[in-house]
Amino acid sequence: MADDISKEAFGPNIWLVDEMYRRYQENPHSVADTWREFFEDYKPTRARPQADGNAPAKEAAPVDVGAGAPKKAAPAPEDESRVTEVPEDATPLRGVAGVIAQNMEASLGVPTATSVRTIPAKLLEENRRIINRYLANHRGGKVSFTHLIGWAVLKALEVHPAMKASFVDIDGSPHVVEHKHVNFGLAVDIEKKDGSRVLLVPNIKEADELDFAGFFGAYEEVIRRVRANELTTEDFADTTITLTNPGTVGTRLSVPRLMPNQGLIVGVGAVGYPAEYEAADPRALARLGVSKTLTMTSTYDHRVIQGAESGQFLSYVQELMLGGHRFYDEIFASLVVPYEPVRWSRDHSAIDDDQADLEKQSRVIGLINMYRVRGHLLADLNPIGYEVLAHPELDLSYYGLTVWDLDREFLAEGLPGPRKQSLRRILDTLRDAYCRTLGIEYMHISDPDQKHWIQQRVETQAPDDLTPDDKKHILDRLIAAEAFERFLHAKYTGQKRFSLEGAESLIPMLDWLFETAADEDIIEAVMGMAHRGRLNVLANIVGKPLGEIFKEFEGEIDPKTVQGSGDVKYHLGMTGQFSGRSGESLAVVLSSNPSHLEAVDPVVEGMARAKQDLLGQESWDRILPVLIHGDAAFAGQGIVAETFNLSALQGYRTGGTVHIVVNNNIGFTTAPSSGRSSTYATDIAKIVACPIIHVNGDDPEACVHAVNLAFAYRQAFHLDIVIDLVCYRRYGHNESDEPAFTQPTMYARIEERRSVRKLYTAQLLNKSEITVDEAEEFLESFRAQMQGAFDDTKKGHRVDVEAVQPHVVGVLPHVETGVVRERL
């Protein structure tokens, strides 16, 4: 192995090789297997520092100091730093420190030059902020300035490949090595247990072959291995260029040393305001449009890289950091951040111009209003669709505002917090309220009290007011939903069940809705839904015994149901009892529904109204109607509009219905773009000025927030409200068809998509809100429960359907429904 990786290939990491070799000599088992293999045939090519700290003297080689024939070199002048007597406070440099000293001596043999450039960091800072806010709200992780700057360096090397060259002496003849790939070295400063610091420079192999997401992941993996002490010899070998970031300790400018066999080292200084502005009022800096800056250095081997090339290289890096060449667009796309990056522009602010200030203030008020009207168009709603979310009326440039206005203060019309706020804080509040994984349409409502009620709750509510127990309960319900479907899929392959997979968040939503309703003294919920997910709702919400469901899959259907709701298991209704965690309970009635999808809507409203009429006063607060729809049917069947049209009439109203649209972006085999003309499947609800909450089905916490808001609105105003649960359908229409035949692109994305249960489990694990053991416990417990019910079903007596035939009565006898005149 030592023949494959020469000592010189380690560059600035040579001290580590010597240190590990010292440990290996003392005890071979004190180093990892990879290091042991490396050192088995390793022979140091350079003498180690001796006990007195002085390396053996080497005879000076002849040096040609002028033109013409080689001349004998003059004796080297006496080294003034060399002393014969050791001072009392002198300590020999041994081990790592001694090797570092040797390395620095060796670096003097590389004739370097350095280019310096100071770059505005405004755009770098703002776009990093957008990325990290998105990552924090979704899959986690954090992008640093160094990630972005390192990527800019890699992109600049593509345009200026001469900067990848390095010098090598072969048999006394100078050569240039033009590296095809970039092994990207990362200078990592490590504090040892004794408080001393050492520098490690592992590298990312062939970093130029990665996209940004791949580079980000490889960078984080290298750092993780550094901290876990898992680095091997391969991690250090053959570094071609190095990035060092002394800015992390506040250094503004540094000129790092370049080790032999490398041609370039890039140094990054601290991000901050120029020193002369450090004590200035931040408001004054915002008013003047003063940007934070960073200083970058390009230290290069002048034998193979020229100064002009280095200057152009840094110039291109600056172009990238100012958004040129679609730099940030590519990063956003690679990380699947569905927003447009902030753009570089010149500031248009005039000092002491009251008229200009007034105009900007009016534009900010217009921007705030437009976020309330159209903010939902920037919400990240579709779990399987990536598109850049943008709208001209939500763009700063549409209002004559720029990136420089973000730090300036304006009147924040109606928003929580101080009367005057920075534009950045205003936008943060609006985007958190309307543009995350939950978006709401309500500005079409004509009643100002209703609009103000929604506005107050959406714009001021804490984004995460769920307790750890709440989150564990949500996960438990997701596990129950997914485990039920997967169990049926494994045990009854090929049988129709119209599974809920892709929309499992419906179960914690209904669970939360009924738990909240029970706590609010509602005694019964009347439900209607089509066949998609019906079996799951029956099992996990209404309380139908699993054994009965499995019997129906085994073919044991009640033979006497010829006049009833039909003999198809996913059409059947049921009355059950739902119990919440607090101990409160309510009755749940799921109406039977044949294959006519939305035909059940007026039936459920009639059932709820009849029960309310029997209860009399305040019955709206005792009976809750709930309708669950499919997106294609909700938009396409006229009975939906008819039901909404009757919803506020005195003879038909039921005190508000909670509608949940299971929007899996497809109707049988038809995509939304071919099935409706409206933007959303839920637009039909606007005929009664109904508020509409859109929510990403892969964010179960946002789904629960949507249910909380919907129920509170229904109780406050006794009007209908719609939740648009945007999700997907993992299998075909009924599990026996191949959906990829008609929607290949959609189902390629679905195939790659992890289930919402896995995504939410990973989210809770990353935040240390559950342990792996707890997650497994939840799943195994439910699987065992289903397996037990399945085994009991298999052991049970099977009804002989042929032997038990009902008595056919034909047309039922006439029933008198009239009322005598005197009673009327």
Side-chain angles (χ1 to χ4, degrees):
M1 184 173 179
D3 293 334
D4 299 331
I5 303 176
S6 66
K7 189 171 182 179
E8 285 72 16
F10 290 103
N13 299 293
I14 195 67
W15 68 265
L16 179 66
V17 178
D18 286 351
E19 172 70 10
M20 298 298 282
Y21 186 54
R22 181 186 63 77
R23 294 185 194 173
Y24 171 79
Q25 288 180 308
E26 293 173 357
N27 178 9
H29 295 286
S30 65
V31 297
D33 292 343
T34 53
W35 285 107
R36 282 204 299 274
E37 180 189 0
F38 178 73
F39 289 132
E40 282 174 0
D41 54 358
Y42 176 66
K43 295 179 180 178
T45 58
R46 201 163 52 188
R48 296 177 51 78
Q50 297 186 9
D52 62 357
N54 296 318
K58 296 170 69 175
E59 183 179 349
V63 178
D64 180 9
V65 294
K71 302 176 183 178
K72 185 176 180 180
E78 186 73 21
D79 186 352
E80 295 180 0
S81 66
R82 187 181 299 275
V83 295
T84 56
E85 295 184 7
V86 180
E88 292 183 1
D89 55 353
T91 303
L93 292 177
R94 296 190 179 94
V96 174
V99 176
I100 290 176
Q102 289 185 355
N103 289 342
M104 292 301 98
E105 290 284 345
S107 73
L108 295 175
V110 182
T112 61
T114 300
S115 303
V116 182
R117 196 175 190 98
T118 300
I119 300 172
K122 183 71 171 176
L123 218 58
L124 183 72
E125 192 173 31
E126 295 298 340
N127 282 313
R128 172 180 175 262
R129 193 168 179 276
I130 292 174
I131 292 169
N132 285 339
R133 281 175 61 83
Y134 179 81
L135 293 178
N137 294 329
H138 290 75
R139 58 186 177 274
K142 189 175 183 180
V143 170
S144 69
F145 288 123
T146 314
H147 290 128
L148 299 173
I149 295 166
W151 183 247
V153 169
L154 281 171
K155 300 294 286 184
L157 289 172
E158 292 179 8
V159 179
H160 297 278
M163 299 298 295
K164 295 189 288 187
S166 63
F167 175 89
V168 64
D169 187 309
I170 301 177
D171 295 330
S173 177
H175 287 69
V176 60
V177 179
E178 297 177 350
H179 299 283
K180 294 181 180 179
H181 294 290
V182 178
N183 293 338
F184 196 76
L186 304 172
V188 186
D189 183 68
I190 300 296
E191 184 175 2
K192 300 173 71 175
K193 292 180 180 178
D194 61 3
S196 61
R197 309 190 77 89
V198 294
L199 189 72
L200 294 174
V201 189
N203 66 62
I204 300 171
K205 296 290 190 289
E206 298 189 0
D208 53 313
E209 293 291 312
L210 304 171
D211 63 359
F212 181 78
F215 174 72
F216 175 50
Y219 187 113
E220 290 300 288
E221 175 61 15
V222 166
I223 299 301
R224 184 197 67 78
R225 295 175 68 194
V226 168
R227 291 171 179 162
N229 196 25
E230 295 178 358
L231 295 174
T232 67
T233 53
E234 279 289 338
D235 294 305
F236 299 106
D238 303 319
T239 301
T240 57
I241 73 147
T242 299
L243 179 71
T244 181
N245 187 5
T248 56
V249 293
T251 301
R252 288 296 181 91
L253 172 65
S254 70
V255 181
R257 301 302 307 166
L258 188 62
M259 297 298 296
N261 300 305
Q262 290 188 42
L264 173 68
I265 182 168
V266 177
V268 181
V271 175
Y273 288 109
E276 58 269 28
Y277 293 110
E278 287 289 353
D281 186 337
R283 291 173 297 181
L285 294 177
R287 184 73 171 166
L288 294 171
V290 177
S291 170
K292 291 181 181 178
T293 61
L294 67 90
T295 300
M296 291 186 65
T297 59
S298 165
T299 300
Y300 54 94
D301 188 331
H302 214 339
R303 292 171 294 186
V304 291
I305 297 173
Q306 300 307 308
E309 190 74 35
S310 176
Q312 291 173 352
F313 165 74
L314 286 181
S315 174
Y316 194 83
V317 170
Q318 176 167 333
E319 290 176 23
L320 294 173
M321 291 193 190
L322 297 186
H325 313 287
R326 295 185 59 79
F327 177 67
Y328 295 109
D329 299 78
E330 291 182 7
I331 291 173
F332 278 46
S334 182
L335 292 176
V336 198
V337 176
Y339 303 122
E340 283 198 338
V342 177
R343 307 294 181 187
W344 180 258
S345 60
R346 288 190 175 278
D347 188 17
H348 302 301
S349 178
I351 305 299
D352 297 329
D353 187 339
D354 293 339
Q355 182 66 29
D357 289 347
L358 186 61
E359 288 180 5
K360 277 199 175 182
Q361 177 63 67
S362 66
R363 292 169 185 170
V364 169
I365 291 174
L367 178 64
I368 292 172
N369 179 69
M370 201 49 63
Y371 260 92
R372 291 167 176 159
V373 176
R374 308 215 191 282
H376 56 89
L377 295 173
L378 295 191
D380 181 21
L381 300 175
N382 193 344
I384 59 165
Y386 171 76
E387 57 181 315
V388 178
L389 301 170
H391 192 278
E393 291 178 295
L394 299 174
D395 191 272
L396 291 178
S397 62
Y398 185 83
Y399 301 90
L401 301 168
T402 69
V403 65
W404 304 100
D405 291 308
L406 293 173
D407 290 307
R408 293 168 182 154
E409 292 189 340
F410 300 92
L411 292 173
E413 190 266 327
L415 292 175
R419 186 165 172 266
K420 292 189 75 173
Q421 301 177 22
S422 69
L423 181 58
R424 178 185 290 103
R425 177 170 174 176
I426 290 171
L427 289 176
D428 283 351
T429 300
L430 293 169
R431 287 168 179 164
D432 287 346
Y434 301 109
C435 309
R436 286 171 64 173
T437 50
L438 187 150
I440 181 167
E441 295 182 87
Y442 70 100
M443 292 296 282
H444 56 277
I445 299 174
S446 56
D447 187 328
D449 290 338
Q450 293 180 39
K451 286 196 292 188
H452 184 71
W453 186 94
I454 294 173
Q455 180 184 317
Q456 288 293 103
R457 279 156 181 77
V458 170
E459 294 176 0
T460 62
Q461 195 174 44
D464 186 4
D465 53 4
L466 298 173
T467 67
D469 285 341
D470 290 337
K471 294 178 181 182
K472 289 179 182 179
H473 183 67
I474 291 171
L475 178 61
D476 176 70
R477 296 296 81 206
L478 287 173
I479 288 172
E482 181 181 325
F484 177 82
E485 298 292 356
R486 298 187 74 171
F487 189 85
L488 291 182
H489 190 67
K491 298 296 184 182
Y492 300 106
T493 305
Q495 286 208 40
K496 295 179 181 180
R497 71 181 192 279
F498 297 95
S499 81
L500 193 63
E501 286 173 270
E504 293 95 335
S505 291
L506 177 66
I507 298 303
M509 288 174 75
L510 291 174
D511 184 277
W512 199 275
L513 175 63
F514 293 155
E515 189 172 79
T516 307
D519 291 342
E520 293 289 325
D521 296 327
I522 286 180
I523 61 172
E524 184 170 286
V526 185
M527 293 177 62
M529 68 181 297
H531 41 277
R532 175 73 52 205
R534 189 183 189 87
L535 295 177
N536 210 313
V537 171
L538 281 167
N540 288 309
I541 298 298
V542 186
K544 186 170 185 174
L546 292 171
E548 289 189 22
I549 295 175
F550 296 149
K551 284 180 181 178
E552 291 166 1
F553 274 94
E554 295 289 331
E556 297 184 23
I557 304 295
D558 183 358
K560 300 186 291 297
T561 56
V562 294
Q563 300 283 356
S565 60
D567 60 354
V568 182
K569 50 188 168 289
Y570 40 78
H571 293 168
L572 301 175
M574 182 181 172
T575 298
Q577 192 79 9
F578 176 89
S579 296
R581 288 174 290 165
S582 66
E584 300 292 337
S585 63
L586 79 164
V588 181
V589 178
L590 178 62
S591 173
S592 302
N593 186 20
S595 294
H596 306 302
L597 302 174
E598 303 295 336
V600 76
D601 297 358
V603 175
V604 168
E605 299 293 353
M607 292 168 64
R609 176 59 184 262
K611 293 172 183 288
Q612 289 171 351
D613 286 347
L614 290 173
L615 288 174
Q617 195 173 11
E618 297 182 354
S619 58
W620 287 350
D621 292 325
R622 307 290 280 167
I623 305 293
L624 173 68
V626 178
L627 286 174
I628 303 170
H629 312 267
D631 55 314
F634 194 79
Q637 288 192 260
I639 198 167
V640 175
E642 293 173 5
T643 304
F644 271 112
N645 203 35
L646 296 172
S647 63
L649 299 182
Q650 184 157 352
Y652 297 89
R653 61 188 179 187
T654 56
T657 299
V658 175
H659 300 262
I660 301 177
V661 178
V662 180
N663 183 355
N664 50 37
N665 287 289
I666 194 168
F668 190 31
T669 61
T670 305
S673 58
S674 301
R676 65 173 190 264
S677 300
S678 59
T679 302
Y680 295 110
T682 52
D683 285 349
I684 192 67
K686 293 179 182 178
I687 65 174
V688 291
C690 181
I692 301 166
I693 306 170
H694 306 280
V695 65
N696 189 317
D698 270 7
D699 186 347
E701 291 183 14
C703 292
V704 166
H705 285 302
V707 163
N708 272 336
L709 181 63
F711 181 74
Y713 176 86
R714 189 265 178 187
Q715 293 299 91
F717 299 102
H718 293 114
L719 295 170
D720 286 26
I721 186 166
V722 174
I723 300 174
D724 178 20
L725 175 63
V726 186
C727 49
Y728 58 92
R729 189 185 71 195
R730 184 164 292 279
Y731 300 108
H733 180 65
N734 56 25
E735 292 80 41
S736 61
D737 59 313
E738 177 47 70
F741 289 163
T742 54
Q743 300 294 337
T745 303
M746 175 188 288
Y747 274 87
R749 291 175 180 170
I750 291 173
E751 183 71 24
E752 297 172 354
R753 190 72 182 170
R754 302 185 76 201
S755 72
V756 60
R757 187 265 307 175
K758 289 181 180 178
L759 293 173
Y760 191 55
T761 300
Q763 178 183 324
L764 296 183
L765 286 171
N766 289 340
K767 295 180 178 179
S768 301
E769 291 176 317
I770 62 165
T771 64
V772 176
D773 291 340
E774 284 178 315
E776 289 300 323
E777 253 180 68
F778 285 140
L779 188 57
E780 289 306 318
S781 172
F782 195 81
R783 280 178 178 163
Q785 182 184 347
M786 283 191 299
Q787 187 63 50
F790 179 78
D791 293 342
D792 290 344
T793 302
K794 286 290 187 181
K795 293 175 186 174
H797 176 66
R798 189 165 177 172
V799 179
D800 186 354
V801 178
E802 296 298 328
V804 184
Q805 291 295 336
H807 175 63
V808 179
V809 296
V811 178
L812 295 175
H814 177 72
V815 177
E816 182 60 56
T817 61
V819 181
V820 297
R821 181 177 297 273
E822 291 75 17
R823 170 148 188 157
L824 290 174

